[in-house]
């Protein structure tokens, strides 16, 4: 899938799941939306962290003839692969670093991620994670990258968009 198509699909999906109200000022002008996401990033020592971030750099554009304008934002550019993962109930992934920078959005179920610094978050349907722990080191406990798994008794369906040429930022909240 083309990178812009993948990014647009992901952000359009997030826009449906994160019902962000478009605020109006006194003259009726729309304010750009704010879309929350989690960033799983590594610091310069290779330790992963989870930080709550916001996508804010949206532009109001018409993307097709006869379509009304919509807010768009390009968090990543480059060749992308989109895959869907269905993890059985009680699935655990073990400690590992991702092979590529990727966006992960649960389509159903609840999924958890724990970073090397001990922070753990649960992502519910429609919440987004930017996972860029590709350069994670191994700590003294033998942990590398992140630990993830399913919460509850149901399978979890994840939409994963991997960017082949993207590089980890080594800072929190690189996607604005």
């Amino acid at each position: 899938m083309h990178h812009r198509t993948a990014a647009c699909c992901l952000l359009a999906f997030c826009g449906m799941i994160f019902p962000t109200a478009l605020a109006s000022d006194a003259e009726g002008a729309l304010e750009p939306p704010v879309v929350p996401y989690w960033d799983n990033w590594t610091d310069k020592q290779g330790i992963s962290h989870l930080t709550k971030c916001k996508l804010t750099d949206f532009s109001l554009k018409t993307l097709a003839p006869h379509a009304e304008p919509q807010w768009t934002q390009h968090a990543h550019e480059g060749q992308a692969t989109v895959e869907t993962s269905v993890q059985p109930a009680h699935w655990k992934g073990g400690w590992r670093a991702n092979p590529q920078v990727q966006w992960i959005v649960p389509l159903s179920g609840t999924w958890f991620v724990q970073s090397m610094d001990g922070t753990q978050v649960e992502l519910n349907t429609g919440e987004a994670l930017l996972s860029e722990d590709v350069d994670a080191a191994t700590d003294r406990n033998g942990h590398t990258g992140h630990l993830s798994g399913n919460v509850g008794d149901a399978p979890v369906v994840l939409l994963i968009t991997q960017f082949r040429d993207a590089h980890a930022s080594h800072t929190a909240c690189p996607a604005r």
Side-chain angles (χ1 to χ4, degrees):
M1 179 175 283
H2 190 267
H3 68 278
R4 290 194 189 270
T5 305
C8 287
C9 289
L10 175 66
L11 291 172
F13 178 78
C14 288
M16 289 186 289
I17 299 302
F18 295 113
T20 304
L22 299 178
S24 297
D25 64 17
E27 287 110 32
L30 294 176
E31 294 292 322
V34 174
V35 178
Y37 73 96
W38 283 98
D39 184 17
N40 178 27
W41 61 282
T42 55
D43 60 27
K44 291 183 189 224
Q45 290 73 42
I47 304 301
S48 64
H49 306 273
L50 285 160
T51 303
K52 185 72 171 195
C53 304
K54 297 176 183 177
L55 291 174
T56 58
D57 192 17
F58 286 85
S59 299
L60 192 60
K61 297 180 182 176
T62 300
L63 299 180
H66 309 294
E68 293 183 12
Q70 60 192 26
W71 292 102
T72 63
Q73 198 269 13
H74 295 282
H76 278 93
E77 295 196 19
Q79 186 173 353
T81 301
V82 176
E83 65 182 40
T84 303
S85 172
V86 180
Q87 300 167 339
H90 308 287
W91 178 90
K92 298 288 184 267
W95 284 95
R96 71 197 176 289
N98 282 317
Q100 298 171 312
V101 172
Q102 56 191 15
W103 284 89
I104 303 170
V105 178
L107 299 179
S108 67
T110 302
W111 180 68
F112 80 87
V113 178
Q114 180 180 334
S115 58
M116 294 167 67
D117 70 4
T119 305
Q120 182 172 320
V121 297
E122 292 183 2
L123 283 90
N124 295 297
T125 300
E127 294 181 314
L129 171 80
L130 171 58
S131 194
E132 52 174 347
D133 63 352
V134 296
D135 298 322
T138 301
D139 68 12
R140 65 178 179 266
N141 298 315
H143 300 157
T144 302
H146 66 278
L147 175 69
S148 64
N150 296 351
V151 177
D153 295 327
V156 172
V157 178
L158 301 175
L159 180 65
I160 303 168
T161 305
Q162 296 178 329
F163 292 86
R164 185 183 75 189
D165 299 323
H167 299 285
S169 68
H170 300 292
T171 60
C173 305
R176 303 256 178 227

